[in-house]
Amino acid sequence: PTTTLTTATTLVAPSTTALPGAGTVVPIAAVTSFDPDGTDKEEHPEQVQLAVDGDPSTGWTTVCYKDRYVGGKRGVGLVVDLGAVHTGTVTVELGSAPYQLRVYAAPDGEQPTSFATWGEPVGRVDSRELTTAQVQLVAPSRFVLVSLVELAESDGCTKNPFRGEIREITVTQG
């Protein structure tokens, strides 16, 4: 049987700005949801642009899960396509805690479609408190996967009480 992966892509208008005390913000060419272990291979694709819109009061959320470890999946999250290879810092503003976050990176070429093709994470951030996570991109990378592997309890969920939220992803060069 042939498996066809479909992903929702939202193009973001490129802009290059400087953050105080940081390098230049890398424009994000596209963002997609990533759920390779799910039945439809995506998770809330209609919300993906909220994680890269520059507004930390909005964000992308996972679906509601029965347990805090994404129902036994290896993770769910968002892939940002930087349009070209870059090094720098990935900053992720979270909207839920506790959390366990894994960041993966891939060079130019085909966007990885499974955890096996992403390889090992380039960074891990685990926190009991709501924080902003930062991970260094040392190797030149075009694609960055921000994956949640532990979720928080959410009042927005009823039957399945656990959900994660990524409010903003930025990549700065320098």
Side-chain angles (χ1 to χ4, degrees), residues 12-167:
V12 178
S15 65
T16 304
T17 57
L19 295 175
T24 302
V25 174
V26 176
I28 293 174
V31 58
T32 55
S33 66
F34 186 78
D35 184 11
D37 300 330
T39 55
D40 64 358
K41 309 296 182 203
E42 57 188 13
E43 194 146 329
H44 285 167
E46 74 283 359
Q47 295 179 359
V48 296
Q49 75 283 353
L50 298 176
V52 294
D53 64 357
D55 182 356
S57 69
T58 64
W60 170 86
T61 60
T62 68
V63 298
C64 298
Y65 285 89
K66 286 185 212 176
D67 68 73
R68 71 176 57 251
Y69 299 102
V70 292
K73 296 177 183 180
R74 289 172 284 179
V76 295
L78 297 173
V79 176
V80 292
D81 177 352
L82 303 175
V85 294
H86 294 276
T87 58
T89 304
V90 178
T91 301
V92 183
E93 293 182 47
L94 284 300
S96 57
Y99 66 87
Q100 290 183 36
L101 182 77
R102 304 294 178 261
V103 176
Y104 300 80
D108 211 3
E110 292 294 315
Q111 177 179 314
T113 58
S114 69
F115 281 102
T117 55
W118 279 100
E120 291 298 312
V122 296
R124 302 168 185 253
V125 180
D126 301 341
S127 180
R128 306 309 316 135
E129 305 296 323
L130 192 59
T131 61
T132 298
Q134 290 193 317
V135 172
Q136 295 301 311
L137 286 181
V138 177
S141 304
R142 174 178 173 177
F143 301 102
V144 177
L145 166 60
V146 176
S147 177
L148 291 166
V149 296
E150 180 185 7
L151 310 174
E153 282 195 65
S154 172
D155 292 339
C157 296
T158 51
K159 181 181 174 190
N160 298 327
F162 297 97
R163 178 168 65 185
E165 182 180 13
I166 296 173
R167 292 206 173 157

